[in-house]
Amino acid sequence: MNYEFCIKSLESNPHCKSETSIKGLVIASTKNDAFNTINVERIAKTILNERKASPGNKAALHECIEVYKDANSSLNKALTNTKTHDYRIANEDLMAAFDAPRICEDIFKQIKKAKSLIRDENNLFQ
């Protein structure tokens, strides 16, 4: 994980400013990440509905939507595991979720004639 990204993400989250524990920071930032995954998923669905995307781009977007759904599920599991103090499993869940942008970009690269239509959104997580 990128230290500067983590600091910037925590500083920009108003819920983190009042937190005094690691657990509170993890919960606040994980909720923020869950919101962001839902937002990327929404953007991908909007592009599918509004643009005349190529068949390759449509296929990649559909796969990326599923990747982000899985990421959001992992983030929700991480929240549950953090709240029950199972930090080892919470960390595994977080790492799984943080792979979503890379996986999504890889999907676009693997499909011929596909160009990432959500690269900027994916880069927010890297």
Side-chain angles (χ1 to χ4, degrees), residues 70-83 89-90 93:
D70 290 344
N72 195 46
S73 176
S74 292
L75 290 168
N76 287 323
K77 289 176 189 174
L79 280 171
T80 299
N81 289 316
T82 299
K83 290 175 183 176
I89 300 298
D93 294 328

Side-chain angles (χ1 to χ4, degrees), residues 54-119:
S54 70
N57 280 335
K58 285 182 181 180
L61 284 168
H62 281 292
E63 286 189 50
C64 285
I65 288 167
E66 291 305 313
V67 167
Y68 275 100
K69 282 182 185 178
D70 290 344
N72 195 46
S73 176
S74 292
L75 290 168
N76 287 323
K77 289 176 189 174
L79 280 171
T80 299
N81 289 316
T82 299
K83 290 175 183 176
T84 61
H85 305 280
D86 192 346
Y87 299 117
R88 183 182 61 79
I89 300 298
N91 187 56
E92 291 175 11
D93 294 328
L94 289 171
M95 292 301 105
F98 292 157
D99 278 343
R102 181 194 51 77
I103 292 169
C104 183
E105 287 301 313
D106 286 349
I107 290 167
F108 277 100
K109 289 176 187 173
Q110 292 170 0
I111 297 176
K112 291 183 180 180
K113 297 184 181 178
K115 179 183 176 215
S116 179
L117 301 175
I118 53 175
R119 179 172 287 128

